[in-house]
Amino acid sequence: MRRPRGMTAARGALGLVGCGLLVWGGWLLLGETDADSLRGVAYWLLAALLAHDLLLAPLVLLLGLALGRTGGARRALRAGLLAAGCVTLVALPPLLRPGTPRNPTELPLDYPRNLLGILLAVALATAVALAVAVARRSRRTPDPRDP
């Protein structure tokens, strides 16, 4: 099936904007950051990469396999688990940081409460996606009792 031309152009434009923002962010990072901070960013990026590749992705894939063949419901559950895992990994540094920050404005929010709220929103979105998948599947599957 061919994609409409407008969609291909929109995706290309979004890709170019994303690449431009990536280059701009790299320029700012390298141009306005001292060596110690760059080292910290490199450690953080390496830890995030390892956490994703060695922990999050295999866990989500194993849970997806454990769910069995449930069609669209399986996809919705895997997407929900992936989103919840990513949000949790991003929120872990402020949650696990010992003590109080030197600067009181550095972490002014209630991170445990906010993480719970976001995870509840992900769970709600996953439940809606599951309901839609089940409704679509039940509409497609003919009832064998009907003549």
Side-chain angles (χ1 to χ4, degrees), residues 59-99:
L59 181 64
V60 169
L61 290 174
L62 287 174
L63 286 172
L65 286 174
L67 294 173
R69 297 277 175 203
T70 56
R74 180 178 175 189
R75 279 182 248 143
L77 285 171
R78 287 174 76 177
L81 289 170
L82 185 64
C86 289
V87 166
T88 303
L89 283 176
V90 168
L92 277 180
L95 288 173
L96 298 178
R97 182 175 285 172

Side-chain angles (χ1 to χ4, degrees), residues 6 38-39 41 46 50 58 60 66 69 75 92-93 116 118 140:
L38 276 177
R39 195 173 306 113
V41 169
L46 180 64
L50 291 174
V60 169
R69 297 277 175 203
R75 279 182 248 143
L92 277 180
L116 181 62
I118 289 175
R140 274 190 271 151

Side-chain angles (χ1 to χ4, degrees), residues 131-143:
V132 168
V134 168
R136 282 185 181 170
R137 187 174 207 170
S138 66
R139 262 190 268 147
R140 274 190 271 151
T141 307
D143 189 358

Side-chain angles (χ1 to χ4, degrees), residues 40-56:
V41 169
Y43 287 148
W44 189 90
L45 288 174
L46 180 64
L49 177 71
L50 291 174
H52 177 272
D53 288 353
L54 298 178
L55 179 69
L56 180 64

Side-chain angles (χ1 to χ4, degrees), residues 9-23:
R11 286 182 179 174
L14 286 173
L16 285 174
V17 169
C19 288
L21 290 172
L22 183 67
V23 168

